[in-house]
Structure formats: C-alpha cells, structure tokens
Amino acid sequence: MAWRIILLLSLGYSSAQLNQAKINGSHSDHEERLLGLLLRLQQEEYYDTLLVYGEQCSFHSLSRRLAVPAVLVSLGSTHYDWNFSSLTLILICGFPAEREENYRTLMKLQVNRRIIYLQEDFHIESVCDYYARKEHYNIAMVRKDFGRSGHVYACRCFQDSKYKEVNLLEGEPIFIEHFLNMQGAGIKTLTDNLAPRSMAYRDPETGEEKFIGYVANALNSFVEKVNATLSWQSYLFPKGQKIYFANITKWMDEDLLDIGMSVDSNWDRRNLDTQTYPYVMCSYCFMVPLPDLLPYNEIYTYIVDLDVLAVIFVLFCIFSLLLLYGQQLSWRGLSLAQILLNDRCLRGLLGQPFPFPRESTKQLKLICFLLCYASLMTTTMYMAYLQAFLATPPSMPKLRSFKDLENSRYMMAISQVEMDVLGFVDNRKLQKVSPKKLVIFRDYREFVHFRDSFNNNYLFPVTDIRWDVYKEQQKLFTSPIFYYTEKFCLSRHNFLSFPVRRNLPYRHLFEEHLLRQKEFGLLKHWLDRNFFVMVMLGLTPLENFSPYSESDSIDLEDLSWIFGMYFAGLCLSFSCFVLELWGSLDWWRRLKRWTRN
C-alpha cells in the first residue's frame, strides 16, 4: 500500500514539474519576442529612455534587460512635468493603464511611440479610436499570444482600415509617419490678408481665390507636400468683418483652427504651445520722415562755426596790435578800445578797402599783406560754403529718440491693435510719448492705408520686412520721403511664428517644413519678391508721392536776416555820426565862448 502512495506522489510531482517547465518556456518565448520587438524599434528609431505605465507586466522585467534607463509610473499619471529625454519609448501594461493628466507631459510626449500590452480581449479598433480622440497616432498593441503568433497591431489613419496587423517576420514597419499623405484631409485655417504676408488673387485658370506671400507660400507648399486641403473657417467671423492677426491667435487658443495663415510675435508668450518655432526674425521700429531742408534765411549763420569765429577774433586782435605798434613803434597809450575798434583791421578782415598807413616800414607793409591774405582766405571760404549750401541746402537734424519727437513737429500714428499687443500701460518706451503726440487708429486697415499714403507729418511703426517694400517703392519717387531708423524701436528683435493648435499632431512636420524652406533660401526669395508681387496685384501703386517742391529761388523773406543786419549797421553808424556831430558842435560853442572872452 505504501509503495502505491509513493508512486502516485512521484507521478504528481513529475507532472507538476513538466507543466511548470512548459509555462516557463512559454513565458520565456513571450519575453524573448517582446525583447526582440523592443530591440527592433530601437534600430528603426533610436530611443534612450523607457516610460512604463501600469502595474506589473512583462515590460517591467524587460526594462531591466535593456541598457536603457526606465521610468515606472504605476499609477498611470505623473505629478511632474516630463523633463527627461524626448527620445522616449512608452510601454503600457494593459488598457487603459495610461491615464496621464499632466498637461506638459502630454504635450511633450504626444508624438512618441506607444506599445500597449493587452492583457484582456479588447477590440483593436476601439483602442485606436480612444487614442485618436486624444490625437495620439503612434500606437501599437500586442496580445498575450504574441510569443506564439508574433503579430503586432498598429493603428493607422487616412486608410481604409483603422489598424494593420504586422508580422515581425515579414519586416514591415510598425510605426509610420501618418501625416505625410493626408489623403486630401482639410487643415482648418484663416488668413488676415495683410500684405506682404498673404495677399488674395484670383487664379485665371480656375477662377478660385488663392493667396500669395511669404506666409501664404509657406502654408500652401506644406499643404501640397502632405496632400491636404485648406478648409476655410469662414463661420468664425461675420460677413464683411475684417480679420486681424490677433483674432487668429485668439481662435487658435480656443482650438478652433489648425494652422493660421498669419504670423504673430511671441514677446508676450510664456510658452510656445500655440505657436511654432520662429519662422522669421525682424525688427519693429519706425519709418520716420526725412528732416526738412534748412531754410535759406538760416544758412548764413549755419555755416559760421563758433570755433572759426573764435579764431577770426584772435586774428583780429593780433593784427590790431601789430598795426598799432607798427605805426607808433611803442606800447604807450595803447587801450582796449583801440584794439577792439580798429577800423582798418576790421575792414581788412572783411575784405573791404582801408587807408594804407603813410611812411610805412617794411614790417608794416608785411603786416598789411598778411591782413589782406587772411581776409582773402576767410571771405573766399565763407562764399564757397554759402554758394554750396544755397545750391543744396543741408537737412535738419534727424530724430534719435522719443525725446526728440516731443520737440519736433511730427506726430506718431499707431493702431489700437498694436497698442493692445504692446501693452501701452506697461510699455516703458511708449510711456515717453505724450498723448498729444499720439494718433490712434481704431481700424487697423485704416491705419495701414494711412501709412501707405506717405504722410510726412507722422511717424509709423513698421517691421523691417514691410519697410523693404516701402524702400523699393520710394525709388520711383522724385526724392525719398521716409527713412527707417533703429535709434528708437518698439522691439529690435521680434520673432514671428505661425499660430498653430496646441495638440496639432503634425506640428513637427510643419516646423521641419519651415526649417527646410529657410535652409534652401525660399524664404529669402519670397521676401525679395514682396515688392514685385504687390505691384503685380495692384497693392502698391506706381505713383509719385513726393511732395510738390516750391520754387528753389531765394525770396525776399530769405534775405530778411541780412537786411536786418544791414539796417542795424546803418542805425549804429548813424548813431555814431550823430554823437560825433554833437560832440563837434559842443566843441565849436566852447571855441566861440573862449574867443569872445
């Protein structure tokens, strides 16, 4: 009896060991297949970090066998922003083990590849739909029988089937770039139709309205590249209402558009969730009217420099001393009045004739010769400068700061949209401009139209990209009217980016497309052709906006200063003559009184 019990126990123990060996073998094959899958994915696209969601499964043991750091999130969500590498492969133990609630982590890991280990019998399509609603498309799944079948189920979009069954032995790619061919899917967009960014025109062949410009061309070429279409969301604004770039940015924050056909600055943005990497950099300064020419009546004093006057005064005193000493050969009786009121020296320096001293010595003749030579040099130089400046009068000083604007005749024109974007209250630069010098336009289009009129009584904020068009246009004028200054700016380094939806799944493709356009010089080519395109579309008139120049002849009013000095000199001479005459009459009275006595 005992040997029978021992025999039964031996058979039971042997069968148990056999079953355990089969289970261990199946688990070993399953893990080896999963390990091969992870190694293959690393060869296809390198990853240096593993992120494992969910409780214990085969992925946890495999993470120890790979020479890659792993982050385990058993609760399904992180409580911190993802600050690890972006080359991360996400492994999910069961569906739906990933319940990520951290917004920054979802943004950073949106396009990363995900492998889901389905521990229960879920429909593949339902899993793909679940992640598609979250706009996660790089999804692949394996079942419990993966070790035996070797089948991977990869989600697909823009295809007839929502997923594809991939056999590892056939060498088909598991993850693909879904948005390289969007099969005509629509990209929701709107344009601000602001030249030279995007300008509307009618296609002569199809009669369809299209857009051209360095912003429109970038989006149009991307749409053509990924085989998509533009879906215009006209319902967002009433018919006849104008769209501004600020409206497009606002609608993008509300996830109503995919990519805007416009660009906006990012100086007031804390992050780039709804903007691409900078597409173009520009300065945002002012186009300032060229200063007025110096009036003719101010030229006569403008060319006289104070340093030159000081040198002439010193020469006058030296020649006056030499003349007085050369005549008397003594310093006795010399006074300051004799030096400063020496008429011979004064007339000599002014190029006027003066009485030559009698019985003059060689030294005195030499002094008179030097005086004549000095007068010839000073009068000739003055006449040369005078004739040159009368032919081409110099310009008044240019504006160099907001403080100069306060002391000038100019006003500053700016739109209300730009005031809101700049934040007038917090903008220290604009706080230096008094309200009486500001002209604010409520309608941005009206402001642009007013700026296009080249009114030289106003300063206009403008980017250097738009200024290049104005600069080319001014070459058609009789004379330039404005110049672009970087002495005072609203922003010297202004980065312009495309507004995009925050969870746009093909954002990386669009940013790569923009980068390649810049690298191949297409952006520079479009910027150089802005003026010609605007002329072709009739947005830039071939018209001379130069102000009508009055006659270049010198009027009587321009000589008012000279006539004033002339009459002042006559009055001074007449006064001296009267005083001398009065003094002579008094001397005759004293003489007659003395002779009588």
Side-chain angles (χ1 to χ4, degrees):
M1 188 68 181
W3 64 272
R4 292 180 179 179
I5 296 175
I6 295 174
L7 180 61
L8 291 174
L9 290 175
S10 300
L11 292 175
Y13 180 75
S14 300
S15 61
Q17 282 187 334
L18 182 61
N19 291 333
Q20 184 67 30
K22 290 181 179 180
I23 293 173
N24 291 337
S26 62
H27 284 183
S28 177
D29 293 340
H30 182 72
E31 290 189 358
E32 290 298 327
R33 279 289 183 91
L34 286 177
L35 180 61
L37 173 63
L38 297 181
L39 293 175
R40 173 180 169 178
L41 293 177
Q42 192 172 34
Q43 291 180 353
E44 291 181 356
E45 184 178 346
Y46 179 76
Y47 59 86
D48 56 8
T49 306
L50 289 176
L51 176 59
V52 184
Y53 284 102
E55 298 178 355
Q56 187 70 29
C57 71
S58 301
F59 288 147
H60 290 77
S61 59
L62 290 176
S63 62
R64 303 185 187 95
R65 300 176 60 181
L66 293 172
V68 175
V71 179
L72 306 181
V73 185
S74 58
L75 298 179
S77 178
T78 58
H79 300 286
Y80 51 84
D81 292 347
W82 181 258
N83 294 321
F84 298 97
S85 172
S86 59
L87 303 176
T88 301
L89 179 65
I90 302 175
L91 305 177
I92 304 172
C93 295
F95 175 78
E98 181 189 6
R99 298 179 296 273
E100 186 61 64
E101 298 178 357
N102 188 290
Y103 170 72
R104 303 306 308 170
T105 302
L106 286 172
M107 285 285 297
K108 294 179 180 179
L109 299 179
Q110 180 184 5
V111 298
N112 288 69
R113 296 173 295 174
R114 287 169 166 80
I115 299 290
I116 305 175
Y117 181 67
L118 296 178
Q119 298 176 347
E120 299 179 9
D121 190 14
F122 285 99
H123 290 289
I124 303 299
E125 291 187 358
S126 62
V127 177
C128 292
D129 290 338
Y130 172 80
Y131 279 97
R133 288 193 294 269
K134 299 172 64 175
E135 297 194 285
H136 296 166
Y137 296 96
N138 289 330
I139 308 297
M141 292 158 279
V142 294
R143 295 187 181 274
K144 290 182 178 180
D145 61 347
F146 176 69
R148 178 177 53 81
S149 65
H151 290 164
V152 179
Y153 304 92
C155 295
R156 296 287 188 262
C157 59
F158 306 113
Q159 295 184 9
D160 297 334
S161 177
K162 293 185 178 180
Y163 70 94
K164 184 175 183 179
E165 185 177 339
V166 180
N167 194 329
L168 293 181
L169 300 178
E170 296 178 358
E172 290 186 73
I174 299 173
F175 296 99
I176 62 173
E177 189 58 69
H178 302 276
F179 296 93
L180 287 179
N181 186 359
M182 296 176 63
Q183 300 291 335
I187 297 177
K188 294 185 289 185
T189 186
L190 278 177
T191 179
D192 55 6
N193 197 19
L194 184 63
R197 301 177 182 178
S198 58
M199 298 162 283
Y201 73 98
R202 189 70 60 181
D203 192 341
E205 297 181 358
T206 62
E208 182 183 357
E209 185 183 41
K210 296 183 178 180
F211 291 88
I212 191 173
Y214 70 93
V215 171
N217 292 341
L219 184 55
N220 289 334
S221 58
F222 175 74
V223 169
E224 183 179 358
K225 175 182 177 181
V226 298
N227 190 21
T229 57
L230 291 177
S231 176
W232 301 99
Q233 306 299 301
S234 304
Y235 71 92
L236 293 176
F237 61 97
K239 187 175 181 181
Q241 182 180 349
K242 298 175 182 177
I243 304 176
Y244 306 110
F245 59 89
N247 300 128
I248 297 178
T249 303
K250 173 179 175 295
W251 291 328
M252 201 65 65
D253 293 336
E254 298 172 357
D255 295 336
L256 298 178
L257 300 175
D258 292 331
I259 303 176
M261 190 179 285
S262 67
V263 287
D264 197 0
S265 59
N266 54 15
W267 55 26
D268 59 340
R269 294 276 176 173
R270 296 183 178 180
N271 52 59
L272 296 177
D273 290 351
T274 57
Q275 285 188 322
T276 63
Y277 290 127
Y279 175 53
V280 64
M281 186 185 74
C282 63
S283 58
Y284 191 49
C285 301
F286 288 90
M287 51 183 289
V288 184
L290 286 169
D292 299 328
L293 298 180
L294 190 70
Y296 285 116
N297 55 4
E298 297 182 11
I299 291 179
Y300 305 101
T301 55
Y302 179 79
I303 60 179
V304 179
D305 192 80
L306 294 178
D307 297 335
V308 176
L309 282 179
V311 172
I312 293 176
F313 178 74
V314 172
L315 289 177
F316 172 79
C317 295
I318 293 174
F319 281 120
S320 182
L321 287 172
L322 292 177
L323 285 175
L324 292 174
Y325 181 80
Q327 288 179 343
Q328 300 177 6
L329 297 178
S330 174
W331 300 110
R332 294 179 181 179
L334 186 64
S335 64
L336 182 62
Q338 290 178 339
I339 298 174
L340 298 180
L341 299 178
N342 193 333
D343 63 325
R344 292 181 180 180
C345 185
L346 180 61
R347 287 187 286 179
L349 285 177
L350 293 178
Q352 302 294 325
F354 61 91
F356 198 80
R358 296 180 179 179
E359 299 178 359
S360 57
T361 60
K362 294 181 180 180
Q363 291 80 2
L364 190 58
K365 292 178 180 180
L366 179 60
I367 293 171
C368 293
F369 172 76
L370 293 176
L371 179 61
C372 293
Y373 179 75
S375 68
L376 180 64
M377 294 297 296
T378 54
T379 55
T380 303
M381 291 172 58
Y382 182 80
M383 289 300 298
Y385 274 100
L386 183 62
Q387 292 176 1
F389 283 8
L390 287 177
T392 55
S395 301
M396 301 289 284
K398 293 183 178 181
L399 300 182
R400 296 183 178 274
S401 63
F402 289 106
K403 184 178 180 180
D404 295 340
L405 175 63
E406 294 293 323
N407 302 324
S408 67
R409 67 175 180 86
Y410 303 112
M411 305 282 288
M412 179 188 294
I414 192 170
S415 68
Q416 185 63 50
V417 176
E418 291 174 319
M419 294 282 287
D420 296 338
V421 173
L422 292 172
F424 180 72
V425 177
D426 299 329
N427 194 283
R428 297 181 179 179
K429 296 180 179 179
L430 285 182
Q431 284 181 352
K432 300 177 182 177
V433 182
S434 61
K436 65 180 182 180
K437 284 287 185 178
L438 280 174
V439 178
I440 302 175
F441 288 82
R442 301 294 178 183
D443 190 347
Y444 186 76
R445 304 287 177 178
E446 183 182 353
F447 163 74
V448 173
H449 180 72
F450 185 68
R451 186 176 62 186
D452 293 343
S453 65
F454 289 93
N455 191 322
N456 62 352
N457 293 320
Y458 295 86
L459 284 72
F460 301 97
V462 66
T463 62
D464 57 350
I465 297 175
R466 186 66 177 92
W467 166 251
D468 290 338
V469 178
Y470 288 130
K471 183 179 178 181
E472 291 294 326
Q473 186 179 0
Q474 288 189 109
K475 293 179 180 180
L476 305 175
F477 299 170
T478 304
S479 59
I481 305 175
F482 282 83
Y483 70 96
Y484 187 75
T485 180
E486 292 186 350
K487 297 295 183 180
F488 54 101
C489 297
L490 298 176
S491 175
R492 286 186 172 85
H493 303 286
N494 189 22
F495 296 95
L496 300 179
S497 305
F498 276 85
V500 295
R501 185 162 52 85
R502 57 172 49 87
N503 291 320
L504 192 69
Y506 47 90
R507 172 178 180 159
H508 61 291
L509 293 178
F510 184 59
E511 290 180 341
E512 181 185 0
H513 176 72
L514 297 179
L515 181 61
R516 289 187 177 183
Q517 286 182 330
K518 295 172 66 175
E519 289 179 345
F520 284 96
L522 285 176
L523 176 60
K524 184 178 183 304
H525 172 69
W526 292 332
L527 293 176
D528 292 341
R529 287 188 52 83
N530 281 337
F531 173 71
F532 304 103
V533 173
M534 293 182 66
V535 171
M536 179 184 65
L537 299 179
L539 300 177
T540 297
L542 300 179
E543 183 180 348
N544 186 6
F545 286 94
S546 297
Y548 175 74
S549 59
E550 300 179 356
S551 176
D552 295 334
S553 60
I554 300 177
D555 299 329
L556 185 61
E557 296 179 356
D558 299 328
L559 303 177
S560 59
W561 186 84
I562 294 180
F563 282 113
M565 293 293 294
Y566 176 71
F567 287 114
L570 287 179
C571 293
L572 180 62
S573 302
F574 182 74
S575 301
C576 294
F577 176 72
V578 171
L579 291 175
E580 290 181 0
L581 186 61
W582 177 263
S584 63
L585 290 176
D586 186 58
W587 182 81
W588 279 106
R589 290 193 190 98
R590 289 198 304 269
L591 179 62
K592 289 179 180 180
R593 191 180 299 114
W594 180 76
T595 54
R596 289 176 183 176
N597 295 334

